[in-house]
Amino acid sequence: MSVLRGQFSSKLGFILASAGSAVGIGNLVGFPVMASKNGGGAFLFIYLLFIAFVCFPVMLAEISMGRASQSSPVGAFDSLSGNSKAWRAVGGLGIITPFFIAVFYAVITVWILIYLVQSAMGNLDVLANPDTFGATVSSPVMFAYLVPLLGVLFFILGKGVNDGIERAATILMPTLIVMMVLLIGFVLTLDNAFAGVSFYLVPEFSKIDSGVINSALNHGFFSLSLGMGILITYGSYLNKKENMVSSTRLVAIADTGVAFFAGLLVIPAVFAIDPGVNADELSESSISLMFSYLPQVFLSMQDFVGYFGASLVSFMFFTLVFFAALTSLVSITEIPIAYVMDEKDKPRREAIVYVGVAVMVFALVTTVSFGMSDFFTSFLHYGGISKSFFDLIYDVFYETILPLMGFVVCLFVCYRWKKHSMNEEIALGDSDYNDSFLRKYVGISLGTFIPVILLAVFMNNVSRIYFAHNLFGF
Ligand code: TRP
């Protein structure tokens, strides 16, 4: 373990960095659409319950693992298990997974960067053309943006925990909030915007079925950066004196708050432009919504604010999404870097070079899997459809391994590391924890129903993705 292990300078630094990690494309685009299509206020209510009762204990488990072991996932599973080889291998999965998530997320962030720059250059009309997205992702222009993006990413990471990760989050997160408030303020002044607000918020409990419950859970879990090793690693940078419970609660509130307010931006914007829109027209996929539908919405705003105003709104929106994506990308890429530093005893600079080169190589391969290379575009065939290299990474690491890791973390803290050790770690900065109801709840839930729920999500995802079959009727 490195003696010079970085540490967040304050509780706020940890909260901003972790919230920066958690807030991503899913919060800004995926969540609003999911909520408004699936029962509005009723969905929000269920989602809040999941965050509080299922996701929150898993967050505490991961953060306490990191802080107790002062290590990234491999070292954490290794030392807390009493050096078991098998658990160390499980930790290895917690390094490979973030690495590949970093690769596919970097590619998506490049798309956002292109839309941001093109909006600023006055090309909103081009972006609003439905064919533009497909043409962009399969064009060599991608490389011109990928290289500088990775440059910025590794520059931030190269500066370390304090001057890099924490400082970036301290600048980007408040800017993100300000831009979001400005955009919401603007959108709500448009005619018909309130039809969107009521579509988003009026509860319809009849829409809640097992499928909706599954997606609320899936989304909450992923949104909070769970199962990715991020909270283990960031926990290892959290000072032992800090109150982990209150910090974690604020991270969960920030993530959920941004998702909630994004709904007041995206859905009213759509209704202002197209008051007759119905739920089916809103695509469930964040990607197609963000890159083909929203640019059309922004372009239509020229009737209210002129082409320049519409371009400005589009530019601000993509900058907002870009900042959200960049802080997530920073957090996920830090995991393999921390691994090289912790386990291979390399200085940060060297770790940056290894991980940087590896991310670059795989990001190039992923980029050409959108049409530039036939081999990587039709890479494999499973679940009844042909899949690209990008699809493969997304399916295997995002949809399959994340819930599995969540499941494993629950079992690990309860039955290997043991609850009392976890409780001691949590109580370090929070003297009330030992006598709290929360301690009882966390212990019981992590040892019983939370792993069962995560295993069910895992099994359903495996069967749906690889065998084209929905296990539980959803
Ligand atoms: N909330 C993120 C999103 O909306 C998901 C996520 C959490 C994530 N942590 C991450 C994605 C780290 C990439 C890297 O996209």
Side-chain angles (χ1 to χ4, degrees), residues 237-253:
Y237 302 147
L238 176 66
N239 191 301
K240 297 253 184 201
K241 291 198 293 284
E242 302 293 356
N243 184 326
M244 190 191 301
V245 176
S246 63
S247 314
T248 308
R249 192 176 291 133
L250 283 171
V251 174
I253 291 173

Side-chain angles (χ1 to χ4, degrees), residues 21-22 24-27 101 105 222-223 225 228 230 328 331-332 398:
S21 164
I25 304 163
N27 297 62
I101 293 181
Y105 217 72
F222 294 154
S223 185
S225 301
M228 302 187 190
I230 293 177
S328 300
S331 72
I332 197 99
Y398 214 58

Side-chain angles (χ1 to χ4, degrees), residues 115-180:
Y115 274 58
L116 181 171
V117 171
Q118 293 302 320
S119 304
M121 287 176 27
N123 293 332
L124 178 60
D125 50 350
V126 181
L127 299 181
N129 178 338
D131 298 331
T132 298
F133 180 62
T136 309
V137 300
S138 58
S139 127
V141 166
M142 286 288 298
F143 303 123
Y145 287 83
L146 176 67
V147 175
L149 173 76
L150 294 183
V152 171
L153 172 67
F154 285 97
F155 174 77
I156 295 175
L157 287 163
K159 294 259 175 205
V161 176
N162 253 200
D163 291 338
I165 300 177
E166 183 174 338
R167 183 179 296 172
T170 314
I171 298 169
L172 297 177
M173 290 309 285
T175 316
L176 180 149
I177 305 282
V178 170
M179 279 195 302
M180 195 154 140

